[in-house]
Structures are given as structure tokens and as C-alpha cells.
Amino acid sequence: MTADTAIVWDAHSCLPIATGIDFDMLRAHRAAGFHHVAINIAMDMTPFADVLKALAWFRHCAEQSPEYLIAGTVEDVERAAREGLLAITFDIEGANCLLEEPAMVQLYADLGVRMMHLAYNLDNAYGGGCHGPNTGLTALGRKVVSAANRAGIVMDCSHSSVRTSLDVTSHSDRPVVFSHANVHALVGSTPRNITDEQIRACAATGGVVGVCGFNLFLGQFPSSAEHMAQHIDYVVQLVGIDHAGIGWDYAYPHSDVPLAASEEEYQKYFIDGVTSDAQISEQGEAYVPLDQRVEIGQSLRRRGYDQAAVDKVMGLNFYRVARACWTRGRS
């Protein structure tokens, strides 16, 4: 990557996991200046058939448009930055869609998945979720981490229990990230935010913490770019400039409930003060608006960050992790 082309990277945002949606909602990411966004295609409660249908629809829409590029390699992201496109990869939030078969990891990699975590808030066959009793990585979970390392998929510890996240950082032979998680020391009201121990363990692998714009995890209603910058600065002061990034977790307007999941099934994943987007929106906007991306950089500059440091936070750190991990796979 040339010095004058700083990639702007969102490590995680959300479209409805459904077919027939307006994929061009993602134009808001282009308008905000992003060159890459990772879009989730599965959560633990999402029925397997819906995962496949949504992934097929997302790929179809991206391939039919000159505005988007499905990125299989970091060179694809570089091309998107040069040509003003939005590079898209996919991520998995909870490994239930693997059907307890580690060989499925490579299949998802071949379809464009470049990041995954094991458990979405609640414990499953692979490890502990952040709302569970703090269980660790299971034997099956260890097999999946190894398979992800081989396939070129970045291991993500967002939504994981403390113990599982520490186990993943120990077991992985490639950088591990928290794609969208804020700082527990600043906002301790939700178990989705991560401790200093988790931040240090992530950084020790060469990984990155993606600060998100979800108001509940920022502890303010509404939140702003300044609040996001505060969490970024905390991470930087704790582990250094190479380990902070952006994972906006922006959810484009939709019903929270995946296609075939009941409201009851969906809501059981949101406990201990973490509620659905619809409930949060009753208190105002659920997220810092995407168009405040530039203001995050401005806030960091006011804190004394130079432009090179801002560029790392805005995308080059996650780009570095991708270079270290994606090349492991076949696709």
C-alpha cells in the first residue's frame, strides 16, 4: 500500500440476514469514506438455510454492481481504495452455522468469509459467550480456531466470554481481534465490553480492538465521535497505536429477527442489560452516525495524534491483520 492511500476499514457492520434486501444501503459506507466493510452473514440463532440464502443474495448483489467488490485478498481491498469502490468481506457471529464440522470453515472462506467468532453472547459447542458463566474454549472450538488459521479467516473474540477470548488468543497462531467491542474500564454496565486483560491478550497476538459506535456500549444516549475517540484513546494508551481500530457495528434499518427465528429465540441472546436495536432506538438513535467518521479522526488529532497514527486507527491496523491472516487460505 502506498503511503498516500490510507485504507479506511470498518471491521464489522450489519445488514439484515435475508434475501431480497436493498443491498445499496451500503452506499452510506461509501459516502462515509470507507474502502472496506465486513458484513455479518450469520449469528448463532440464524437458521442454517437462512445463512446460505443471505450469503448467496449478498454475493449476487455485490457482483452485479460496479460500486462493490467482494474481496478475497488484501490486493482486492487495495484496488477498492484506488478505484473508489467499497470492498466487502463477510463475517460470522457465532459458529453454530458450522454444524459442528470444522471442515465447514474452509467452505465459508471460499465464499468470502474472512472473520468469525465462536459464540454469540451465550455458550455453545465451541466456547463461552459473554453472558454465560465464563466457560472456556472447548475441544471442538480449538479445532475450529486451527481450521480458521489454515483457511485465512481472522479469529474474532467479540461476544465471547473472558476465558474463551483468552483461550483463543493463546491457541491461535495468527493475530486475533475484537472486531467490535468497547472498553469495560470506561463503560462497565455491559459484559459485551472488554477488560484490560482481554485488550492486552489481543494486542500480544498482533491483533486489533475495533471500537464500535453502539450507544449502549459507549454508555451515552446519544453517543458521538468524541465518545468513540475516548475508547480508542484508552486502547492506545494501554497497548499502543498498532492495536486500535474501528468496528462500527452499524446495523442498517431492519427488523432484528432473522428470517426463521422467533422473537423469543432471538431475545434470549440479549440479557443482562443488552437489548435489541429496536428497544435501544426508543431512547434515540442506536448508533453514532456513520457520517461522523471524519470527526473521530479530528477528535484524535485534538488529543495529539498525528495523521500517521490516525490512519492506523482508521484502517491500516486492520489491514495489517488481514495481510497476516488472509493469505493462509486458498481463496
Side-chain angles (χ1 to χ4, degrees):
M1 210 54 231
T2 60
D4 60 349
T5 311
I7 290 175
V8 182
W9 189 292
D10 180 3
H12 176 80
S13 281
C14 309
L15 289 173
I17 303 175
T19 58
I21 65 162
D22 179 9
F23 197 77
D24 284 333
M25 289 187 283
L26 285 177
R27 285 175 176 164
H29 264 79
R30 286 191 71 201
F34 286 98
H35 302 122
H36 167 274
V37 61
I39 296 295
N40 71 318
I41 53 92
M43 295 184 287
D44 266 345
M45 79 291 286
T46 314
F48 178 67
D50 292 354
V51 173
L52 293 187
K53 288 191 290 185
L55 181 54
W57 177 255
F58 291 179
R59 290 186 60 90
H60 168 77
C61 291
E63 289 166 352
Q64 294 301 307
S65 172
E67 301 179 49
Y68 310 115
L69 173 65
I70 297 175
T73 66
V74 290
E75 288 76 20
D76 289 334
V77 181
E78 293 168 3
R79 176 191 160 197
R82 289 193 306 269
E83 298 181 10
L85 308 176
L86 181 64
I88 296 167
T89 57
F90 305 112
D91 66 56
I92 290 172
E93 294 194 276
N96 282 351
C97 63
L98 301 181
L99 308 179
E100 300 190 17
E101 175 49 72
M104 291 283 283
V105 172
Q106 183 63 59
L107 175 62
Y108 281 110
D110 292 344
L111 292 173
V113 171
R114 288 294 176 268
M115 186 170 63
M116 66 177 297
H117 54 261
L118 298 178
Y120 186 87
N121 289 351
L122 301 182
D123 293 8
N124 62 17
Y126 307 90
C130 62
H131 297 310
N134 198 28
T135 56
L137 195 62
T138 67
L140 181 59
R142 287 191 291 274
K143 291 180 180 178
V144 170
V145 173
S146 296
N149 287 164
R150 291 193 298 271
I153 290 179
V154 179
M155 283 307 307
D156 180 1
C157 289
S158 305
H159 293 274
S160 299
S161 70
V162 173
R163 183 177 168 194
T164 287
S165 64
L166 297 178
D167 287 348
V168 170
T169 59
S170 295
H171 188 72
S172 177
D173 66 9
R174 285 294 180 265
V176 172
V177 304
F178 288 89
S179 68
H180 57 297
N182 291 349
V183 175
H184 189 270
L186 296 178
V187 180
S189 56
T190 168
R192 270 284 283 114
N193 286 348
I194 58 176
T195 66
D196 288 4
E197 182 182 24
Q198 290 171 290
I199 295 169
R200 289 190 180 101
C202 170
T205 71
V208 179
V209 173
V211 168
C212 78
F214 190 33
N215 287 346
L216 187 66
F217 303 159
L218 291 167
Q220 303 288 331
F221 296 91
S223 297
S224 67
E226 177 62 29
H227 296 118
M228 292 180 70
Q230 181 183 16
H231 285 254
I232 291 166
D233 186 58
Y234 185 97
V235 173
V236 172
Q237 298 307 317
L238 185 67
V239 292
I241 190 60
D242 293 329
H243 305 292
I246 299 292
W248 211 286
D249 197 21
Y250 187 83
Y252 284 90
H254 63 284
S255 167
D256 279 342
V257 183
L259 286 176
S262 68
E263 177 71 22
E264 181 181 3
E265 171 69 13
Y266 184 75
Q267 286 301 330
K268 77 179 185 180
Y269 284 84
F270 295 90
I271 56 178
D272 296 336
V274 178
T275 56
S276 72
D277 297 345
Q279 291 167 303
I280 290 296
S281 66
E282 293 175 3
Q283 304 178 56
E285 290 295 329
Y287 302 91
V288 176
L290 288 173
D291 62 12
Q292 288 197 27
R293 183 193 67 79
V294 173
E295 281 80 357
I296 297 173
Q298 292 172 344
S299 180
L300 293 175
R301 291 301 297 266
R302 289 193 295 270
R303 293 170 183 265
Y305 289 64
D306 62 19
Q307 190 59 48
V310 171
D311 288 346
K312 285 188 174 186
V313 172
M314 287 293 109
L316 292 182
N317 285 336
F318 272 116
Y319 166 77
R320 170 181 51 79
V321 169
R323 289 198 67 88
C325 295
W326 291 6
T327 54
R328 303 276 283 183
R330 294 198 306 259
S331 53

Short mmCIF file of all heavy atoms in Angstrom, two decimals, residues 6 28 34 44 46-47 62 82 118 131 156 202 235 256 287-288 319-320:
data_model
loop_
_atom_site.label_atom_id
_atom_site.label_comp_id
_atom_site.label_asym_id
_atom_site.label_seq_id
_atom_site.Cartn_x
_atom_site.Cartn_y
_atom_site.Cartn_z
N ALA A 6 -4.32 5.70 2.38
CA ALA A 6 -4.61 5.10 3.67
C ALA A 6 -5.98 4.43 3.62
O ALA A 6 -7.01 5.10 3.46
CB ALA A 6 -4.56 6.16 4.77
N ALA A 28 -24.09 4.12 2.13
CA ALA A 28 -23.77 5.02 3.25
C ALA A 28 -22.34 4.80 3.73
O ALA A 28 -21.67 5.75 4.17
CB ALA A 28 -24.74 4.80 4.41
N PHE A 34 -15.44 4.90 3.61
CA PHE A 34 -14.84 3.59 3.86
C PHE A 34 -14.45 2.92 2.55
O PHE A 34 -15.13 3.03 1.53
CB PHE A 34 -15.83 2.68 4.61
CG PHE A 34 -16.00 3.05 6.06
CD1 PHE A 34 -17.07 3.83 6.47
CD2 PHE A 34 -15.08 2.64 7.01
CE1 PHE A 34 -17.23 4.18 7.79
CE2 PHE A 34 -15.22 2.98 8.34
CZ PHE A 34 -16.31 3.75 8.74
N ASP A 44 -25.60 -16.89 15.90
CA ASP A 44 -25.86 -18.24 16.41
C ASP A 44 -27.32 -18.65 16.29
O ASP A 44 -27.61 -19.83 16.15
CB ASP A 44 -25.39 -18.36 17.87
CG ASP A 44 -23.98 -18.92 17.98
OD1 ASP A 44 -23.46 -19.46 16.98
OD2 ASP A 44 -23.39 -18.83 19.08
N THR A 46 -29.34 -17.76 13.85
CA THR A 46 -29.80 -17.73 12.46
C THR A 46 -29.87 -19.14 11.90
O THR A 46 -28.87 -19.86 11.89
CB THR A 46 -28.85 -16.90 11.58
OG1 THR A 46 -28.52 -15.68 12.23
CG2 THR A 46 -29.49 -16.61 10.24
N PRO A 47 -31.02 -19.57 11.41
CA PRO A 47 -31.12 -20.90 10.81
C PRO A 47 -30.13 -21.07 9.66
O PRO A 47 -29.90 -20.14 8.88
CB PRO A 47 -32.57 -20.97 10.33
CG PRO A 47 -33.30 -20.01 11.21
CD PRO A 47 -32.33 -18.89 11.45
N ALA A 62 -23.57 -7.80 -4.82
CA ALA A 62 -22.26 -7.17 -4.95
C ALA A 62 -21.66 -7.40 -6.34
O ALA A 62 -21.06 -6.50 -6.94
CB ALA A 62 -21.32 -7.68 -3.87
N ARG A 82 -8.02 2.36 -4.40
CA ARG A 82 -7.53 3.12 -5.55
C ARG A 82 -8.68 3.59 -6.44
O ARG A 82 -8.65 4.70 -6.98
CB ARG A 82 -6.56 2.27 -6.39
CG ARG A 82 -5.22 2.02 -5.76
CD ARG A 82 -4.25 1.46 -6.80
NE ARG A 82 -4.76 0.28 -7.48
CZ ARG A 82 -4.57 -0.98 -7.09
NH1 ARG A 82 -3.88 -1.21 -5.97
NH2 ARG A 82 -5.06 -1.99 -7.78
N LEU A 118 -16.73 -17.42 17.86
CA LEU A 118 -17.24 -18.75 18.15
C LEU A 118 -18.61 -18.76 18.80
O LEU A 118 -19.43 -19.62 18.49
CB LEU A 118 -16.24 -19.49 19.05
CG LEU A 118 -14.85 -19.72 18.43
CD1 LEU A 118 -13.94 -20.42 19.43
CD2 LEU A 118 -14.96 -20.55 17.15
N HIS A 131 -22.34 -13.56 28.04
CA HIS A 131 -23.42 -13.61 29.02
C HIS A 131 -23.49 -14.93 29.76
O HIS A 131 -24.40 -15.15 30.56
CB HIS A 131 -24.77 -13.35 28.34
CG HIS A 131 -24.90 -12.00 27.73
ND1 HIS A 131 -24.60 -10.86 28.41
CD2 HIS A 131 -25.28 -11.62 26.49
CE1 HIS A 131 -24.80 -9.82 27.62
NE2 HIS A 131 -25.19 -10.25 26.45
N ASP A 156 -12.08 -13.78 15.80
CA ASP A 156 -12.68 -12.60 16.42
C ASP A 156 -13.24 -13.02 17.77
O ASP A 156 -13.98 -14.02 17.85
CB ASP A 156 -13.77 -12.08 15.50
CG ASP A 156 -14.49 -10.84 16.00
OD1 ASP A 156 -14.14 -10.34 17.08
OD2 ASP A 156 -15.42 -10.40 15.30
N CYS A 202 -5.21 -9.61 23.27
CA CYS A 202 -5.42 -9.36 21.84
C CYS A 202 -4.18 -8.71 21.23
O CYS A 202 -3.68 -9.15 20.18
CB CYS A 202 -6.65 -8.49 21.66
SG CYS A 202 -6.92 -7.84 20.00
N VAL A 235 -7.54 2.39 24.51
CA VAL A 235 -6.84 1.23 23.97
C VAL A 235 -5.40 1.59 23.60
O VAL A 235 -4.45 0.86 23.92
CB VAL A 235 -7.59 0.66 22.75
CG1 VAL A 235 -6.77 -0.45 22.08
CG2 VAL A 235 -8.96 0.13 23.16
N ASP A 256 -34.94 -6.82 13.81
CA ASP A 256 -33.83 -7.57 14.40
C ASP A 256 -33.94 -9.07 14.16
O ASP A 256 -32.94 -9.78 14.20
CB ASP A 256 -33.82 -7.36 15.92
CG ASP A 256 -33.16 -6.05 16.32
OD1 ASP A 256 -32.43 -5.50 15.49
OD2 ASP A 256 -33.38 -5.61 17.45
N TYR A 287 -26.99 4.20 17.21
CA TYR A 287 -25.59 4.22 16.80
C TYR A 287 -25.12 5.65 16.54
O TYR A 287 -25.89 6.52 16.13
CB TYR A 287 -25.41 3.43 15.49
CG TYR A 287 -25.84 2.00 15.61
CD1 TYR A 287 -27.15 1.63 15.30
CD2 TYR A 287 -24.97 1.01 16.05
CE1 TYR A 287 -27.58 0.33 15.43
CE2 TYR A 287 -25.39 -0.30 16.18
CZ TYR A 287 -26.70 -0.64 15.87
OH TYR A 287 -27.12 -1.94 16.01
N VAL A 288 -23.85 5.87 16.74
CA VAL A 288 -23.22 7.08 16.22
C VAL A 288 -23.36 7.04 14.70
O VAL A 288 -23.06 6.02 14.07
CB VAL A 288 -21.73 7.13 16.62
CG1 VAL A 288 -21.05 8.35 16.00
CG2 VAL A 288 -21.56 7.12 18.13
N TYR A 319 -6.03 -3.61 8.28
CA TYR A 319 -5.42 -4.02 7.01
C TYR A 319 -4.18 -4.87 7.27
O TYR A 319 -3.96 -5.90 6.61
CB TYR A 319 -5.09 -2.76 6.21
CG TYR A 319 -4.18 -2.95 5.03
CD1 TYR A 319 -4.64 -3.48 3.83
CD2 TYR A 319 -2.83 -2.56 5.09
CE1 TYR A 319 -3.80 -3.62 2.73
CE2 TYR A 319 -2.00 -2.70 4.01
CZ TYR A 319 -2.48 -3.24 2.83
OH TYR A 319 -1.64 -3.38 1.76
N ARG A 320 -3.37 -4.47 8.24
CA ARG A 320 -2.18 -5.25 8.59
C ARG A 320 -2.56 -6.65 9.07
O ARG A 320 -1.93 -7.65 8.69
CB ARG A 320 -1.39 -4.52 9.68
CG ARG A 320 -0.26 -5.33 10.29
CD ARG A 320 0.47 -4.57 11.39
NE ARG A 320 -0.43 -4.02 12.39
CZ ARG A 320 -0.98 -4.73 13.39
NH1 ARG A 320 -0.74 -6.02 13.48
NH2 ARG A 320 -1.77 -4.13 14.27
#
